[in-house]
Amino acid sequence: MVDVVVFGAAGPTGRLICRDALVAGHRVRAVSRRSDPLGLPGSAQLVQVRADAVSGAGVAAAIDGADAVLSVLGSAYQRGEVTVYSAGVRAMVEAMRAGAGGRRLVVVSSGLTYPPPPTNWFADHLLFPFLRGVLGRTLYADMRRMEEYLRACDDIEWTIMRPGRLFDRDEASEYRLDPDHPTQGYTSRVDLAAAMLAELGPAAHVHSAVAPTTNR
């Protein structure tokens, strides 16, 4: 049994992680900026916690005494500056270093955070440059800030998840887990949740970036 804190628990992937962690017998702290009910199953092993990872308010209290932190904080594409990834992870790490919780941290980034391996002419020359350099420019820039910050944190047992494009699916697949970049274009949210929870086990990819993708 692991005492796990889930940041971004109000989102679709966060709710899946909380659900599956409870099924696995873990104790779960579901963290959200809002106090509204998250629609999660009732359980004595589940506590909803209010905290704002970007400002840092409530983060230390949220992870106090926990074994591990899973972050699925995210942002939509936007023109304005994005800080949720880098500021959120920095607040978590600083709280861990202050002794608020354990040192295990698993965070979500993206398969497009850094240039992916060549696939086909359309994706390599049109689609990916447009997504990374235009539509998602500020979002991927903040993901890179988050990853660069974590790579300097030798005292934190971090793992970075770089999924493909997320989609909804009812059941988990026998998903692929590759180093650095996705080998497929898509990752179901339920597979991403399963891959993140698997990082709490003995076969964890500490100080690595891994890419879960769905076998469709």
Side-chain angles (χ1 to χ4, degrees):
M1 179 186 293
V2 175
D3 194 339
V4 58
V5 181
V6 181
F7 283 89
T13 306
R15 289 195 296 271
L16 289 169
I17 290 175
C18 292
R19 181 199 70 184
D20 292 352
L22 290 172
V23 170
H26 301 312
R27 290 186 295 264
V28 178
R29 302 178 199 177
V31 183
S32 172
R33 290 181 299 170
R34 305 187 299 273
S35 56
D36 319 13
L38 301 180
L40 294 168
S43 171
Q45 298 290 86
L46 173 69
V47 177
Q48 184 172 335
V49 181
R50 188 175 181 182
D52 187 336
V54 176
S55 69
V59 171
I63 68 174
D64 184 34
D67 300 309
V69 175
L70 306 184
S71 174
V72 286
L73 293 173
S75 171
Y77 289 149
Q78 56 183 282
R79 292 183 179 180
E81 184 182 14
V82 175
T83 61
V84 63
Y85 300 97
S86 59
V89 163
R90 185 180 294 271
M92 295 170 207
V93 168
E94 289 177 353
M96 289 175 174
R97 285 173 169 165
R103 297 300 176 98
R104 188 71 181 105
L105 176 64
V106 185
V107 304
V108 170
S109 183
S110 169
L112 288 180
T113 299
Y114 294 95
T119 54
N120 59 66
W121 190 92
F122 173 76
D124 298 341
H125 293 87
L126 294 178
L127 179 60
F128 292 160
F130 175 72
L131 292 175
R132 295 183 68 254
V134 181
L135 192 62
R137 180 178 60 83
T138 57
L139 181 143
Y140 294 121
D142 194 44
M143 287 183 177
R144 289 191 294 274
R145 284 193 292 270
M146 173 186 71
E147 292 203 20
E148 289 162 7
Y149 173 75
L150 282 177
R151 281 194 286 272
C153 296
D154 294 337
D155 57 330
I156 301 296
E157 297 176 359
W158 54 264
T159 299
I160 296 167
M161 288 278 161
R162 293 178 181 163
R165 184 176 179 181
L166 294 174
F167 71 100
D168 292 320
R169 186 175 185 173
D170 292 335
E171 301 292 335
S173 74
E174 294 184 3
Y175 58 85
R176 295 177 59 93
L177 192 64
D178 294 294
D180 296 324
H181 295 285
T183 56
Q184 310 294 321
Y186 295 86
T187 306
S188 72
R189 289 184 173 87
V190 70
D191 282 344
L192 174 58
M196 293 184 71
L197 284 172
E199 289 297 317
L200 303 182
H205 299 81
V206 176
H207 294 165
S208 299
V210 291
T213 54
T214 297
N215 291 320
R216 304 184 70 185

